[in-house]
Amino acid sequence: MGPSMSLIPSYPDLQFGDYLFSANKEKIDLAYLYNMLCVPSRYSTGLPPERFPLVIENSICFCVFHHDRQIGFARVIADQSEFASLWDVFIDEPHRGKGIGQAFLKYIFNHTLLRGTFRWFLMTEDAHGLYKKFDFKTEVYNPYIMMKVNAS
């Protein structure tokens, strides 16, 4: 028998100026990410540390790096057909306003396992303008919730 092959194609990293987008979980800076997502902050209400590994393991994860240092993250929970939910999207403050968020979202939505997903869901307090560029619409019953339905 020959070498073992993964049945799921790997999604290549993408260079964006001085930034690198990656869907490779092995590149995640776990200490950085735990601090951003689990320590009570603007992004988190304080996820218990014992649950953090499951968050990473059971999500399709995306990272942004600047000169080999992680400065952003997003994750998707999906059935790879009908539904995907986008969570924990952030870019560190000093790197905002450079088009990174928009390029990062394009990278995420083009992922092999997510392309063509029928319905997307996300929650945001203040990034509605960014997500509207990707055809997300605010739900009238809750302005923090945005949905996107793909016709094809």
Side-chain angles (χ1 to χ4, degrees), residues 29-141:
D29 180 338
L30 288 172
Y32 163 82
L33 201 53
Y34 177 83
N35 185 54
M36 291 300 287
L37 299 181
C38 300
V39 174
S41 70
R42 167 165 193 236
Y43 301 109
S44 171
T45 56
L47 179 72
E50 64 274 10
R51 295 178 62 174
F52 183 61
L54 290 172
V55 168
I56 302 302
E57 185 179 328
N58 295 316
S59 301
I60 302 169
C61 297
F62 300 89
C63 300
V64 181
F65 298 91
H66 182 252
H67 301 300
D68 296 325
R69 193 173 136 287
Q70 188 170 348
I71 58 98
F73 180 77
R75 67 186 181 100
V76 175
I77 301 166
D79 64 12
Q80 301 172 22
S81 173
E82 296 300 309
F83 180 80
S85 183
L86 184 63
W87 292 93
D88 302 325
V89 181
F90 68 86
I91 303 292
D92 282 349
E93 292 277 354
H95 301 276
R96 293 183 189 164
K98 301 176 182 182
I100 300 162
Q102 196 166 338
F104 189 41
L105 287 174
K106 281 182 191 169
Y107 177 74
I108 292 167
F109 295 139
N110 276 325
H111 190 287
T112 322
L113 298 175
L114 302 174
R115 218 173 308 147
T117 297
F118 179 68
R119 186 183 320 270
W120 282 86
F121 166 88
L122 64 85
M123 293 179 71
T124 184
E125 287 183 16
D126 55 11
H128 296 80
L130 172 63
Y131 295 114
K132 283 179 182 176
K133 292 176 184 175
F134 292 91
D135 299 322
F136 280 85
K137 298 189 178 8
T138 303
E139 292 295 308
V140 290
Y141 61 87

Side-chain angles (χ1 to χ4, degrees), residues 6-20:
S6 171
L7 297 178
I8 298 173
S10 63
Y11 189 54
D13 291 352
L14 178 71
Q15 196 71 41
F16 178 75
D18 288 342
Y19 298 89
L20 180 74

